[in-house]
Amino acid sequence: MRSDRFAFRSAAVAVVLLCGAGIAPPSVHAVMEPLKFESSSQESRYKALIAELRCLVCQNQNLADSNAELARDLRLLTYNMILSGSSDKDIVQFMVSRYGDFVLYRPPFKPSTALLWLAPLLFMAGGFFVLFRIFRWRKNIRPLDVPPDQRAKVRKLLQDDNSA
Amino acid sequence: MTAELGLLALIIAFCTAVVLGIVPLYGSIRRHTTCIAVARPAVWVQLVFVAIAYGCLTYAFLDNDFSVSYVANNSNSKLPLLYKISGVWAAHEGSLLLWVLILSGWTGAVTIFSRTVPDDMIAKVLGVMGLISVGFLSFILFTSNPFSRQFPPVTEGRDLNPLLQDPGLAIHPPMLYLGYVGFSVVFAFAIAALITGRLDMAWARWSRPWTTTAWSFLTLGIALGSWWAYYELGWGGWWFWDPVENASFMPWLMGTALIHTLAATEKRGVFKAWTVLLAVFTFSLSLLGTFLVRSGVLTSVHAFASDPERGLFILIFLVIVVGGSLTLYAWRAPSIRSVPGFNPVSRESALLINNVLLVTTTATVLLGTLYPLFIDALGLGKISVGPPYFNSIFVPLTVPLVVAMGFGALCRWKKDTFARLRGDLGMLLLASLLAGGICPLAMDHYSLAAASAGTLGCWAMFTAIRGLWIRATPGRRWQGLARTPRAYWGMTLAHSGIGIFVIGVAFTTIYSTEKDLSMAPGERFSVGRYEYQFDGVQNLSGPNYVAQTGTVIISRDGRLIARLSPEKRRYLVQQMPMTEAGIQAGFWGDFYASLGERLDDRGRWAVRVQYKAFIRWIWLGALLMAAGGLLAASDRRYRTVARAPVREPAAQTTPILSG
């Protein structure tokens, strides 16, 4: 299995890198190859792609920021595919077929990631549902009798407070 | 000898913490005054001994005592003095010691600044903080001893990680920890209030300045980290949604929600149960952050499984803290009643909207950070959750938050009407639209996104300032402004900071330019209106590194604008290459150059030049938020409460109780 072999190799590389650098992010410096593009749209597509693809042997870096050998190769691959006319979708599909979803910083929507994408909506819907319940309930609340000693206590605490 | 002394001090501190965690709590429940009186001295004994231990470790660094493994792994005799001092918190063991030192410091601060709080309450607060100290001190003593020696001793240390040899990162962890650990005070107050069952407005008032102070430090810490990433990592990014960053961002978001509900609880006696829960969650997220960063679980689930000792310890500690607090909460919550009602149009409602959005954001960041770990642990494959995900969720949640913020700043407590607000809101909206629409005209191209962000940022600032103006009471405005409490000024400052931050983020994203160039010495290149000239690379050497320093001269219409010196360093001990960006900072934008690879023998180099528009506004916004928080925390009503004589309450204070 080709992908298994790759996974093993990249894991081995990762281990070596991590040990070498004492678990800190590996060699850190900006990466740049001055590349020539036919149009500025190609250049912006290239930049967008390498920003969203993950360097597989780094701790947490995209292709654009990584200085690893593999990242360099994949940048070049992306560049060449763009020049040869591949669409963004082709390039992403090619990367995923080779390295799996791990290469994508924007996880694809599928059963195993459905919760990830839908949860924020659910959280918010739940929150606002509770909110409206509170509004309806709060409007009808009557003042409560506060024991005089507590009332005096709170007054004492609040007396210095002149902000509304 | 120093190392052994430090360990001994740590053990004494641990024993004191055990006493602090048991005796005063017992005393306050059994109303035993002698036991309660133990609390304050115990706090100081613990602080002194933790400080001695910390001093011993610092001395070992200064003394180049490489027989201590921690020093040998994180220092070197050639390391500059500043980094020997900051090296103490550069790795796991030492940073935990700093954690405990700051925790002891906060505990000591509680004994000083909470003299107005009744003794039995303060005994509980100090007791809970003592228990947290027990947890962390035993973590250090049993799993992460910074004082352990190694045989045979080495003659030279392995040097501090070059990434950390930087003034920004030297002060980043203490700031961050001041924030993280500061939330333990709020947590302790919440637990103490739950134990007594007295969740009153006084409790909210005692907690408020601590929350705001801790939050301000956390804000500063996060901003420092972002600033450091910007100039040190070498490619000009300022936020990466890295799990380590998220770990500090989650308590910040939750703490922001907490600050706002505390305001409502203190002023109006509402949301009590919810506020307690937020206090528990905020501190739990601080602990979770420590767990995530320290356990190795982020690198890989398997790294955690192969060396589980430390991770497991924090995980169990986390479960005890969260589980214990929630059990206590479940026991007490039914008796907590928040009495006063309020209208859908009121400041309370605006604060609830704020809370729904902030908690949703926190939960989403938490989910996104942990999701890959769950998927991996369940054997469903490996996925990455990165900036594209977080940005696509974060932006839609933040925009309504800022809109609601402006609304809340103008709303009255309890009951307001749209009819009353309409005039103000309409005028401010118009002014924001106008100002926001005009801003992008000053840039090199018009962008609708920039205009929208400008409108949003101006809305935040204008509503905040308008709120202050109204608050200053009509008639004598200027005198009114002078008499407006610091807390209100603080709020205005912090909300304006949000506006500046929003504009900074949007304009940096939209108007920054970057270009990778291949340049020979003397060669010129035009990008936009600017001309870049490369003057070659020189070899230099620093105290513990050698560097290649390039010179990039930027001019516009023949006039010199900036002279940048991007550097590539190689640190001698760890043989680690580092990039130091050349930056000319400016209020409207930074010129930023970094040096890439050497391309040929005739001195041709790859150079990346960037213009980062409005980037300073991001940190300026954060600074304003932190300054606002500190200003609010220093409001005199938090200090003078008990000493002031009781006077006849004014008529308008009564509705607060009966409304």
Side-chain angles (χ1 to χ4, degrees):
Chain A
M1 295 287 285
R2 195 189 156 151
S3 63
D4 280 349
R5 242 188 27 230
F6 174 78
F8 174 74
R9 206 175 60 197
S10 61
V13 174
V15 167
V16 170
L17 273 175
L18 289 177
C19 296
I23 316 296
S27 65
V28 171
H29 50 116
V31 180
M32 55 209 80
E33 296 99 0
L35 297 170
K36 293 263 186 295
F37 290 91
E38 287 160 11
S39 67
S40 63
S41 82
Q42 280 188 346
E43 185 169 358
S44 57
R45 276 177 57 209
Y46 170 75
K47 282 189 173 151
L49 275 169
I50 62 171
E52 290 207 358
L53 292 172
R54 181 176 191 150
C55 162
L56 300 129
V57 295
C58 309
Q59 198 177 45
N60 191 14
Q61 281 180 321
N62 56 19
L63 292 186
D65 295 343
S66 167
N67 201 37
E69 204 63 41
L70 176 77
R72 195 171 304 206
D73 293 348
L74 292 182
R75 276 199 302 272
L76 212 61
L77 187 72
T78 311
Y79 172 71
N80 287 330
M81 284 183 85
I82 286 181
L83 283 200
S84 65
S86 305
S87 71
D88 288 0
K89 212 175 150 193
D90 293 340
I91 299 173
V92 166
Q93 242 162 27
F94 176 78
M95 294 285 182
V96 171
S97 69
R98 224 164 138 180
Y99 304 114
D101 289 340
F102 189 61
V103 77
L104 303 176
Y105 264 132
R106 183 193 298 274
F109 187 86
K110 51 200 229 176
S112 64
T113 58
L115 183 64
L116 179 69
W117 284 105
L118 295 180
L121 277 178
L122 294 178
F123 292 150
M124 201 157 73
F128 278 106
F129 175 73
V130 173
L131 204 69
F132 288 118
R133 290 287 301 271
I134 292 175
F135 285 162
R136 277 179 41 193
W137 173 62
R138 285 278 172 185
K139 261 174 91 171
N140 306 322
I141 278 183
R142 305 293 336 139
L144 177 95
D145 284 332
V146 177
D149 60 320
Q150 276 196 31
R151 186 179 284 255
K153 212 172 185 177
V154 175
R155 270 184 195 148
K156 193 179 156 203
L157 287 164
L158 284 171
Q159 60 166 343
D160 204 50
D161 178 4
N162 48 1
S163 53
Chain B
M1 187 57 199
T2 343
E4 284 68 33
L5 208 65
L7 187 60
L8 185 67
L10 215 52
I11 293 170
I12 297 175
F14 172 74
C15 299
T16 317
V18 172
V19 172
L20 177 62
I22 295 171
V23 177
L25 273 177
Y26 171 83
S28 71
I29 291 165
R30 284 297 167 93
R31 305 196 181 283
H32 197 298
T33 33
T34 322
C35 288
I36 289 178
V38 167
R40 286 171 197 263
V43 167
W44 288 98
V45 172
Q46 184 196 320
L47 176 59
V48 165
F49 279 95
V50 171
I52 290 174
Y54 189 85
C56 287
L57 191 59
T58 309
Y59 181 80
F61 267 85
L62 298 180
D63 194 34
N64 295 319
D65 186 353
F66 299 127
S67 67
V68 176
S69 348
Y70 185 73
V71 180
N73 286 331
N74 293 292
S75 185
N76 183 281
S77 50
K78 289 205 183 63
L79 191 66
L81 178 69
L82 171 67
Y83 304 128
K84 280 186 180 163
I85 295 169
S86 73
V88 175
W89 59 74
H92 175 79
E93 291 87 346
S95 61
L96 277 174
L97 191 56
L98 179 68
W99 221 103
V100 173
L101 179 68
I102 291 176
L103 180 59
S104 311
W106 276 110
T107 320
V110 172
T111 65
I112 295 175
F113 295 108
S114 292
R115 293 195 189 283
T116 57
V117 183
D119 266 348
D120 67 319
M121 177 75 177
I122 218 65
K124 288 193 192 75
V125 172
L126 297 176
V128 172
M129 295 190 75
L131 287 176
I132 301 168
S133 297
V134 170
F136 272 89
L137 281 167
S138 51
F139 183 44
I140 296 178
L141 287 172
F142 297 126
T143 74
S144 326
N145 176 13
F147 295 109
S148 67
R149 301 251 190 199
Q150 60 184 21
F151 287 102
V154 288
T155 48
E156 189 53 280
R158 288 178 53 196
D159 205 2
L160 182 64
N161 184 340
L163 267 175
L164 308 181
Q165 296 189 28
D166 173 89
L169 208 67
I171 49 172
H172 163 69
M175 280 292 162
L176 206 60
Y177 283 10
L178 273 172
Y180 266 179
V181 185
F183 286 131
S184 69
V185 182
V186 197
F187 172 79
F189 268 103
I191 295 298
L194 278 177
I195 295 174
T196 48
R198 255 192 15 222
L199 283 157
D200 45 20
M201 289 150 97
W203 156 74
R205 167 164 294 200
W206 295 327
S207 305
R208 260 187 103 183
W210 298 103
T211 318
T212 321
T213 311
W215 178 88
S216 302
F217 281 122
L218 190 58
T219 310
L220 281 179
I222 295 174
L224 270 171
S226 149
W227 178 54
W228 168 82
Y230 169 73
Y231 68 75
E232 186 72 22
L233 295 185
W235 46 84
W238 58 276
W239 190 259
F240 300 90
W241 292 108
D242 189 87
V244 177
E245 290 171 322
N246 293 349
S248 65
F249 194 42
M250 289 185 284
W252 187 88
L253 286 168
M254 206 54 125
T256 310
L258 176 62
I259 285 178
H260 291 90
T261 55
L262 267 175
T265 309
E266 189 211 334
K267 302 272 190 199
R268 299 267 303 123
V270 289
F271 317 150
K272 288 173 187 164
W274 176 236
T275 304
V276 174
L277 208 56
L278 279 182
V280 170
F281 283 153
T282 305
F283 182 60
S284 304
L285 283 171
S286 300
L287 286 183
L288 183 74
T290 313
F291 166 72
L292 286 177
V293 176
R294 290 291 155 212
S295 65
V297 72
L298 289 174
T299 326
S300 145
V301 184
H302 311 295
F304 173 57
S306 63
D307 180 22
E309 196 186 36
R310 290 174 176 175
L312 212 58
F313 192 106
I314 315 183
L315 200 58
I316 291 171
F317 187 58
L318 198 63
V319 168
I320 293 174
V321 170
V322 179
S325 328
L326 291 185
T327 311
L328 192 61
Y329 180 80
W331 177 44
R332 285 294 190 185
S335 65
I336 304 169
R337 278 185 305 173
S338 296
V339 183
F342 55 86
N343 261 23
V345 181
S346 64
R347 188 172 280 184
E348 284 92 330
S349 304
L351 289 177
L352 278 182
I353 294 171
N354 149 311
N355 267 242
V356 169
L357 293 169
L358 279 171
V359 172
T360 303
T361 312
T362 316
T364 306
V365 175
L366 183 65
L367 185 77
T369 309
L370 297 182
Y371 209 81
L373 301 178
F374 287 138
I375 291 286
D376 194 15
L378 292 174
L380 295 172
K382 280 176 83 75
I383 64 160
S384 304
V385 180
Y389 171 82
F390 289 109
N391 287 335
S392 63
I393 304 287
F394 189 70
V395 175
L397 283 170
T398 322
V399 172
L401 184 63
V402 178
V403 174
M405 183 182 92
F407 180 75
L410 293 174
C411 251
R412 284 181 181 160
W413 291 107
K414 192 186 172 192
K415 191 176 177 186
D416 211 329
T417 56
F418 272 118
R420 190 191 76 84
L421 289 164
R422 206 166 45 206
D424 260 345
L425 289 176
M427 186 194 73
L428 290 165
L429 183 64
L430 201 69
S432 312
L433 277 169
L434 213 64
I438 289 172
C439 287
L441 289 176
M443 311 301 291
D444 38 273
H445 62 98
Y446 197 86
S447 145
L448 223 53
S452 322
T455 305
L456 194 65
C458 290
W459 167 258
M461 284 188 274
F462 294 170
T463 47
I465 293 165
R466 174 71 186 154
L468 180 70
W469 188 246
I470 296 171
R471 176 69 183 73
T473 58
R476 296 176 164 176
R477 291 279 188 205
W478 298 109
Q479 283 176 21
L481 279 182
R483 262 202 303 264
T484 303
R486 283 191 201 171
Y488 208 96
W489 278 98
M491 178 183 104
T492 309
L493 214 57
H495 283 184
S496 308
I498 298 268
I500 291 190
F501 174 80
V502 167
I503 294 176
V505 171
F507 279 50
T508 300
T509 314
I510 296 165
Y511 289 114
S512 293
T513 55
E514 87 171 48
K515 193 84 192 160
D516 293 337
L517 304 170
S518 149
M519 295 183 109
E523 203 171 338
R524 286 157 179 255
F525 205 98
S526 290
V527 181
R529 292 174 296 186
Y530 301 102
E531 189 164 70
Y532 294 83
Q533 180 180 328
F534 181 57
D535 272 5
V537 169
Q538 280 183 306
N539 290 324
L540 297 170
S541 60
N544 51 352
Y545 61 85
V546 288
Q548 293 164 305
T549 309
T551 306
V552 177
I553 294 167
I554 303 168
S555 55
R556 183 176 167 183
D557 308 326
R559 201 163 48 84
L560 178 78
I561 287 183
R563 191 187 177 88
L564 307 180
S565 313
E567 242 176 45
K568 284 190 80 168
R569 290 183 183 170
R570 180 163 288 277
Y571 282 82
L572 297 169
V573 177
Q574 301 199 347
Q575 283 299 314
M576 185 162 160
M578 292 281 304
T579 300
E580 297 281 315
I583 299 172
Q584 165 103 347
F587 186 73
W588 302 111
D590 285 12
F591 291 96
Y592 190 109
S594 27
L595 211 53
E597 306 290 316
R598 189 181 177 147
L599 299 173
D600 65 16
D601 295 340
R602 285 165 303 179
R604 178 175 285 274
W605 282 74
V607 181
R608 175 179 289 180
V609 289
Q610 300 186 71
Y611 181 70
K612 309 291 288 184
F614 281 77
I615 185 95
R616 300 280 146 184
W617 288 45
I618 293 173
W619 305 303
L620 182 67
L623 272 181
L624 284 179
M625 290 179 224
L630 291 176
L631 195 65
S634 72
D635 196 291
R636 64 187 261 280
R637 70 204 162 95
Y638 297 125
R639 284 171 278 136
T640 51
V641 169
R643 263 170 273 140
V646 181
R647 91 189 118 121
E648 209 42 48
Q652 76 259 27
T653 57
T654 17
I656 289 171
L657 287 171
S658 57

